[in-house]
């Protein structure tokens, strides 16, 4: 356990800054304001001088109604513990998210964890409407803006919100089975760091080799200075079967692991968790993020204390820590001892897929008619006119020149499944399909972590995740999918909804010129107490 002084500000941030190994506890808040089990955990932790100091609070987990983490954070702080409030975009739009952040700032809660969020489940009167206005990357950008004060218009004058120094984290799922799933997760992680993520917590998983590969990948790509907490979850056989069935999205569970759990009691499950904590510490992770249904604070302390006793003894027990799926894709070749050779070349696909007819045609039209400097861009760009609409420019509709471009919308709908958002990103997605239509969460900056082991959508389980199609389609067009680690697409501008996307592109009012490209980052060795890389600038986004 870390020894940072809880009286000296943000204990979690300080401990990570001092490079101490931090164990956090994730509490799943239920559907009631009377959170007796969570309250008892917090009270027990606060009364133990060596107990868990950081309490991570879920945000309507599983897409179910639940007590808000913002409301329970104050209870955690009253007991002189440090909360991490999860912040997802599934239930509130950008205005609601900003309001939540102002509320957290008002109570002095610095730590937030940005997530996309799970699909909606049953709620009052039926299934709730999904929101997903901002994805996890864009939530991090919002947090970054609020750190310096967000500028806005207050009538005729300009105003700025009071700056607040949030400590923002991100999530990554390194346990994916297929190459496209895994690589898109890793690219999105780099984009999250560039957008402002200062620490990372992994998704639930049960393959230490994949966890180790994440650490090696981050070091290779210049973001190894970002603290990573390994998610150590203690499942029962029942919960593992729910994960396997996709009821808990994004969790990869093998038949072998379920079979083992069916023959185990609680002490054995706690022992495996202790092994994972010991391994995470020995492999250089910043900490362990521990969770499990029905566990009390004493169970957490059993895990932590047993991990200290195990030390590096976990290396002789790899069969308890690596549960690989059939056909699992690993980024590196296997090394002696059952882990991966982090110095080896990436094992990404060498063979290029064949582009579809739609991809070929769409890419050719873009090259010769749409991209900057093309004949079409010069011709229509000089003729289309814009008007003010809600404080922004919008292409004037229903005139002669925009009317000439109307058939383009019919093509996009028929060939790409266009959702008619007027703010198209198909050029960025390699014409593999509209993410506003085919992604349940309408994501614009890479996939969520919820896809199934076979690469299909967590919600529409008979259809592939569109972001896997994007990865394959990008390779097919001889483009580098690493671009998804560098280019941030801004939020959808709803003022352009149901307008002609091509006219908006030529008029310069869509997202194209607002996209942000990430500059390269330097590898650094340490992080100061402010969560910024020491001796080098943090990765940044530049227009």
């Amino acid at each position: 356990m870390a020894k940072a002084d809880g009286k000296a500000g943000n204990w979690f941030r300080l401990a990570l800054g001092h490079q101490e190994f931090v164990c956090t506890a994730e509490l799943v808040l239920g559907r009631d304001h009377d959170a007796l089990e969570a309250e008892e955990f917090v009270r027990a932790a606060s009364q133990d001088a060596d107990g868990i100091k950081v309490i991570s609070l879920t945000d309507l987990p599983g897409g179910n109604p639940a007590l808000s983490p913002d409301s329970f954070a104050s209870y955690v702080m009253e007991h002189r513990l440090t909360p991490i409030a999860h912040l997802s975009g599934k239930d509130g739009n950008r205005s609601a998210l900003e309001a939540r952040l102002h509320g957290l700032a008002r109570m002095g809660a610095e730590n937030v964890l940005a997530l996309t969020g799970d699909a909606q489940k049953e709620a009052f009167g039926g299934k709730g409407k999904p929101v997903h206005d901002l994805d996890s990357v864009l939530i991090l950008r919002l947090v970054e803006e609020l750190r310096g004060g967000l500028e806005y218009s207050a009538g005729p004058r300009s105003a700025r919100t009071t700056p607040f120094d949030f400590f923002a984290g991100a999530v990554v799922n390194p346990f994916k089975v297929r190459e496209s799933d895994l690589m898109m997760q890793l690219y999105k992680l780099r984009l999250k760091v560039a957008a402002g993520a200062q620490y990372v917590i992994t998704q639930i998983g049960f393959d230490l080799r994949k966890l180790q590969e994440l650490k090696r990948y981050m070091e290779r790509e210049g973001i190894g200075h970002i603290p990573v907490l390994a998610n150590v979850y203690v499942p029962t056989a029942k919960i593992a079967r729910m994960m396997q069935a996709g009821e808990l999205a994004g969790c990869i569970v093998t038949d072998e692991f379920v079979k083992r759990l069916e023959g185990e009691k609680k002490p054995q499950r706690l022992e495996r968790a202790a092994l994972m904590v010991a391994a995470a510490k020995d492999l250089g992770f910043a900490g362990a993020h521990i969770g499990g249904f029905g566990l009390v604070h004493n169970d957490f302390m059993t895990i932590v204390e047993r991990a200290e006793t195990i030390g590096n003894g976990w290396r002789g027990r790899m069969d308890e820590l690596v549960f690989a799926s059939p056909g699992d894709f690993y980024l590196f070749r296997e090394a002696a001892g059952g882990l991966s050779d982090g110095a080896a070349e990436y094992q990404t696909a060498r063979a290029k897929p064949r582009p579809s007819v739609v991809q070929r045609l769409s890419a050719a039209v873009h090259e010769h008619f749409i991209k900057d400097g093309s004949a079409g861009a010069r011709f229509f760009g000089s003729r289309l006119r814009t008007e003010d609409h809600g404080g922004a420019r919008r292409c004037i509709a229903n005139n002669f020149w925009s009317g000439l471009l109307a058939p383009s919308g019919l093509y996009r709908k028929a060939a790409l499944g266009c959702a008619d958002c007027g703010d198209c990103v198909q050029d960025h997605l390699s014409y593999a399909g509209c993410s506003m239509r085919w992604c349940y969460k309408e994501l614009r900056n890479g996939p969520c972590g919820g896809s199934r082991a076979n690469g299909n959508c967590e919600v529409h389980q008979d259809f592939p995740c569109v972001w896997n199609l994007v990865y394959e389609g990008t390779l097919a067009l001889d483009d580098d999918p690493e671009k998804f680690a560098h280019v941030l697409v801004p939020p959808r501008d709803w003022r352009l909804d149901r307008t002609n996307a091509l006219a908006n592109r030529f008029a310069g009012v869509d997202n194209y010129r607002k996209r942000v490209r990430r500059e390269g980052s330097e590898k650094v060795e340490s992080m100061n107490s402010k969560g910024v890389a020491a001796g080098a600038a943090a990765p940044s986004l530049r227009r």
Side-chain angles (χ1 to χ4, degrees), residues 98-412:
E98 184 181 333
R100 287 185 59 191
L101 286 162
H102 288 309
L104 290 167
R106 185 171 179 82
M107 73 172 70
E110 294 182 10
N111 305 311
V112 294
L113 184 68
L115 310 97
T116 295
D118 297 323
Q120 295 289 338
K121 299 289 176 59
E122 186 74 12
F124 167 72
K127 185 177 179 179
K129 179 182 179 181
V131 180
H132 296 292
D133 187 30
L134 298 186
D135 59 39
S136 53
V137 178
L138 295 173
I139 292 173
L140 288 165
R141 286 296 284 166
L142 171 60
V143 172
E144 181 70 21
E145 292 293 326
L146 289 171
R147 285 194 190 107
L150 184 64
E151 189 173 353
Y152 65 98
S153 296
R157 64 185 181 84
S158 177
R160 186 179 293 274
T161 62
T162 304
F164 187 79
D165 193 15
F166 285 105
F167 189 52
V171 176
V172 64
N173 189 340
F175 302 104
K176 293 298 186 182
V177 174
R178 302 167 76 251
E179 176 186 333
S180 53
D181 277 305
L182 178 61
M183 296 311 299
M184 291 299 279
Q185 280 293 305
L186 298 177
Y187 294 148
K188 189 169 183 176
L189 172 62
R190 288 162 61 186
L191 193 60
K192 289 175 180 179
V193 172
Q198 296 162 287
Y199 64 93
V200 172
I201 297 176
T202 69
Q203 171 63 291
I204 295 171
F206 307 98
D207 187 340
L208 181 64
R209 183 181 169 191
K210 284 188 175 287
L211 194 63
Q212 176 237 3
E213 285 196 339
L214 170 67
K215 196 80 170 63
R216 299 291 88 82
Y217 176 81
M218 292 179 67
E219 291 165 355
R220 288 270 289 265
E221 297 300 333
I223 57 172
H225 60 288
I226 300 296
V228 183
L229 281 75
N231 198 322
V232 178
Y233 190 82
V234 186
T236 61
K238 180 179 179 180
I239 290 177
R241 285 191 291 269
M242 291 174 63
M243 292 177 176
Q244 200 171 40
E247 294 180 46
L248 300 177
C251 301
I252 306 299
V253 178
T254 65
D255 291 337
E256 179 192 355
F257 187 52
V258 173
K259 186 176 180 179
R260 286 209 188 184
L261 288 171
E262 288 172 342
E264 292 179 348
K265 301 297 184 182
K266 185 176 180 180
Q268 294 166 291
R269 299 196 299 270
L270 297 181
E271 174 71 6
R272 181 181 293 106
L275 277 174
M276 183 64 81
V277 172
K281 185 174 184 179
D282 201 31
L283 290 172
F285 284 82
H289 187 72
I290 307 172
F293 179 76
L295 299 184
V296 297
H297 183 259
N298 188 56
D299 295 325
F300 280 67
M301 296 310 298
T302 297
I303 293 170
V304 173
E305 291 163 5
R306 176 62 182 145
E308 287 294 322
T309 302
I310 293 170
N312 63 7
W314 62 270
R315 292 182 180 271
R317 301 170 65 178
M318 290 293 290
D319 64 313
E320 300 176 66
L321 296 172
V322 177
F323 295 90
S325 300
D328 234 335
F329 169 78
Y330 287 92
L331 185 58
F332 302 100
R333 68 181 179 221
E334 189 173 5
L339 296 178
S340 290
D341 180 1
E345 292 184 0
Y346 297 155
Q347 298 187 126
T348 48
R350 302 294 187 268
K352 185 185 74 171
R354 292 178 62 85
S356 67
V357 173
V358 168
Q359 281 187 286
R360 289 181 184 273
L361 178 58
S362 300
V365 170
H366 184 271
E367 177 70 21
H368 299 293
F369 185 73
I370 299 175
K371 79 172 188 179
D372 285 350
S374 67
R378 293 196 306 271
F379 181 84
F380 283 98
S382 63
R383 287 165 174 79
L384 292 170
R385 298 290 179 265
T386 61
E387 62 183 350
D388 183 79
H389 181 77
R393 305 305 296 173
R394 187 173 74 174
C395 183
I396 298 175
N398 302 320
N399 65 16
F400 176 76
W401 300 112
S402 61
L404 286 179
L405 298 172
S408 66
L410 300 177
Y411 171 80
R412 287 195 308 274

Side-chain angles (χ1 to χ4, degrees), residues 9-70:
N10 185 344
W11 192 95
F12 179 56
R13 190 175 197 170
L14 289 169
L16 290 180
H18 295 153
Q19 299 184 346
E20 300 173 14
F21 190 79
V22 179
C23 288
T24 63
E26 178 165 294
L27 297 189
V28 178
L29 301 175
R31 190 177 181 174
D32 201 336
H33 65 279
D34 190 8
L36 296 179
E37 290 184 4
E39 290 177 4
E40 175 55 34
F41 189 101
V42 169
R43 284 196 297 269
S46 67
Q47 293 166 7
D48 186 340
D50 296 318
I52 300 293
K53 298 292 188 294
V54 183
I55 309 296
S56 185
L57 305 171
T58 56
D59 184 16
L60 284 63
N64 298 299
L67 178 66
S68 165
D70 312 354

Side-chain angles (χ1 to χ4, degrees), residues 409-433:
L410 300 177
Y411 171 80
R412 287 195 308 274
K413 289 179 182 179
L416 301 167
C418 173
D420 207 18
C421 74
D423 203 15
C424 189
V425 293
Q426 272 303 305
D427 58 311
H428 183 55
L429 304 184
S430 303
Y431 310 101

